[in-house]
Amino acid sequence: LVALLLAASCKAWSSVVRGRAPRVASLAEQADSSIDTTTVHATDMSAPIPLEENGDAKTGTNKKTRFKVAIVGAGAVGSYYGARLHEAGHDCQFYTRTTTTAGLEEGGGGLLVTSVEGDIEIPSRDYQVFNSTSEMQPADWVVVALKSSSLHVIPELIVPLLQPTTRVLVIMNGLIENDLVGMIKETTNDTTSPKGQLGCCQTLYGGMALICSNRLEPGRIDHSYAGLLSAGVAATSSLSPEEDEAAFRRLFDGVKGVPITYDSNLLRGRWKKMVWNLPFNGISVAMGGITVDQIVNDPGLRKLADAIMDETILVANTELAAEYGDDGDWEPLGDAEKDQMMTLSDGMGPYRTSTMLDLTNRRAMEVKYMFREPVKRADRLGAKVPQLRTIVTMIEAYQRKYGL
């Protein structure tokens, strides 16, 4: 699964790669992004407690906060970020939709993440994994890492985990926020919260990840490239934007292998990610299931990817202008984003995109919010996107053919 970084992240990106060529899992290894584990190890879920970091327990110097974190979607992406948060000392619970258990050691139930940033193993005694969120305790943070094809189930999954002070980070592809906020309000019978706020939690963030991470087998994740995580606010009851940004940064403070950026304009951040998702997820599926290196190394497909990037940027800037005004406080997307995304793609090797994996494994594809919604917005705004429209038509034909 690949999700794309923001243009402002060049400096953070360089810290991820640090001059090393990415280790790409073999094509046989790259599988779907869901973990098959259900063994439950419950722990006390008391209020946040200090987390020592090179500090003194008696004097209380250099302390951070140990958060209670619920990972909803313990697949390739959720397991990586959850394992990194666990490694940093946070109290992490993992939710998976599957019902089988497989262990890494005798007795079973652990999680192993092999990573270019250093491996992480959570032994079975420490791995809190559930197949029902109603069995989990309310959390300070809920990190959702499901595909947008499952958007409709998110509200019911997260409600048992919420408190008025809970912050929710939804790491997902596509233009999802409008529908997701509405779904959450409907599920919680929230008829009084004004636009931009939710009564059930403190803040809802949209998350955008640049990461190549695959589930190899139950309980085994391989992280082969990148890891940047960006976020912006979709709805909040906080008193100031600075408070929401500071809270996000506190969660990932000192977390290894997870450089972060914060986007004060989530709509722009979503479109920036689309500058990669639409050409590379799109072409990989339209061609019947090809890898990123095949796209960037073929002159015709590379030119097509470049054209789809141009069309994506056209729609993005048209919508941003309509939303905030031509003279508003926003920065247009442009050649810098195109060049960055192509450079990243050149380094990915034979990586299989998430949508390509869904096609080849005959699973539900993220068509509605990743592909159809951008075309709908282009039509509404009068933006011409012939190349993107053709790619989306081909993807939807595969969707109908295989019932995905």
Side-chain angles (χ1 to χ4, degrees):
L1 172 65
V2 180
L4 263 293
L5 84 170
L6 307 180
S9 63
C10 292
K11 183 175 180 181
W13 163 249
S14 65
S15 69
V16 180
V17 179
R18 293 204 296 269
R20 287 188 294 179
R23 189 189 75 75
V24 179
S26 69
L27 297 185
E29 288 180 324
Q30 295 180 31
D32 70 280
S33 57
S34 61
I35 279 188
D36 298 328
T37 47
T38 55
T39 305
V40 176
H41 303 279
T43 61
D44 175 58
M45 297 295 290
S46 55
I49 60 175
L51 171 64
E52 306 294 340
E53 182 187 50
N54 300 321
D56 183 280
K58 293 182 180 180
T59 63
T61 57
N62 296 326
K63 288 184 178 179
K64 296 192 303 180
T65 300
R66 182 174 187 249
F67 291 109
K68 296 173 288 187
V69 182
I71 307 295
V72 178
V77 173
S79 290
Y80 177 75
Y81 290 120
R84 287 297 180 200
L85 288 165
H86 170 89
E87 179 184 48
H90 297 294
D91 184 2
C92 297
Q93 305 172 97
F94 296 78
Y95 162 77
T96 176
R97 290 173 291 182
T98 53
T99 57
T100 60
T101 302
L104 302 173
E105 55 191 15
E106 188 174 353
L111 173 65
L112 176 64
V113 178
T114 54
S115 170
V116 293
E117 292 295 322
D119 298 347
I120 317 161
E121 182 172 3
I122 305 178
S124 58
R125 66 179 179 275
D126 298 325
Y127 187 37
Q128 303 176 73
V129 59
F130 303 77
N131 63 2
S132 171
T133 56
S134 63
E135 298 173 359
M136 300 165 68
Q137 297 294 323
D140 302 307
W141 279 88
V142 176
V143 178
V144 180
L146 298 173
K147 293 184 178 180
S148 62
S149 52
S150 298
L151 190 73
H152 62 287
V153 305
I154 290 178
E156 290 186 2
L157 287 174
I158 67 174
V159 164
L161 307 170
L162 301 181
Q163 305 174 99
T165 56
T166 299
R167 296 177 184 271
V168 181
L169 171 62
V170 179
I171 305 171
M172 186 175 286
N173 288 323
L175 303 171
I176 63 168
E177 272 71 35
N178 290 344
D179 282 3
L180 179 57
V181 170
M183 291 174 185
I184 293 174
K185 286 189 173 183
E186 182 178 356
T187 299
T188 58
N189 297 314
D190 183 353
T191 59
T192 60
S193 293
K195 183 179 179 180
Q197 294 185 23
L198 290 171
C200 59
C201 63
Q202 180 72 33
T203 304
L204 174 69
Y205 300 82
M208 296 148 285
L210 167 66
I211 188 169
C212 294
S213 184
N214 291 106
R215 172 190 176 273
L216 304 183
E217 60 186 40
R220 174 83 183 277
I221 303 297
D222 181 68
H223 164 235
S224 59
Y225 196 44
L228 182 84
L229 180 61
S230 303
V233 168
T236 185
S237 299
S238 295
L239 297 177
S240 70
E242 292 77 16
E243 179 184 345
D244 289 324
E245 178 178 356
F248 173 71
R249 293 188 182 280
R250 280 196 299 272
L251 176 63
F252 289 98
D253 181 29
V255 177
K256 178 182 176 181
V258 186
I260 60 170
T261 62
Y262 190 80
D263 199 318
S264 59
N265 187 325
L266 179 58
L267 178 61
R268 184 180 186 278
R270 284 293 185 196
W271 275 114
K272 189 184 301 183
K273 182 178 176 184
M274 286 293 195
V275 175
W276 192 91
N277 273 340
L278 288 174
F280 288 97
N281 272 287
I283 295 172
S284 70
V285 173
M287 288 295 293
I290 65 173
T291 53
V292 171
D293 63 324
Q294 292 175 290
I295 298 172
V296 297
N297 291 328
D298 181 271
L301 294 179
R302 189 182 184 97
K303 185 176 181 180
L304 176 60
D306 186 83
I308 294 174
M309 286 183 180
D310 284 336
E311 293 181 356
T312 303
I313 289 170
L314 170 64
V315 184
N317 290 338
T318 303
E319 182 171 33
L320 288 164
E323 184 74 17
Y324 303 108
D326 290 331
D327 300 323
D329 186 18
W330 60 278
E331 181 182 354
L333 300 176
D335 288 342
E337 286 74 26
K338 282 180 55 181
D339 293 344
Q340 190 173 26
M341 301 311 180
M342 194 64 79
T343 299
L344 291 171
S345 303
D346 285 334
M348 287 181 184
Y351 193 78
R352 299 192 291 178
T353 69
S354 60
T355 316
M356 180 269 213
L357 284 170
D358 289 337
L359 173 66
T360 56
N361 288 287
R362 302 296 186 259
R363 295 190 303 259
M365 296 191 296
E366 298 182 275
V367 175
K368 180 177 180 180
Y369 294 103
M370 196 195 302
F371 295 107
R372 176 46 57 185
E373 182 63 24
V375 173
K376 286 176 61 177
R377 296 190 186 191
D379 290 342
R380 186 176 71 244
L381 295 163
K384 303 300 183 183
V385 290
Q387 307 288 353
L388 177 59
R389 188 182 304 277
T390 299
I391 289 292
V392 173
T393 298
M394 296 171 72
I395 292 169
E396 290 176 332
Y398 278 119
Q399 185 184 36
R400 291 190 297 271
K401 180 178 180 179
Y402 296 113
L404 308 179

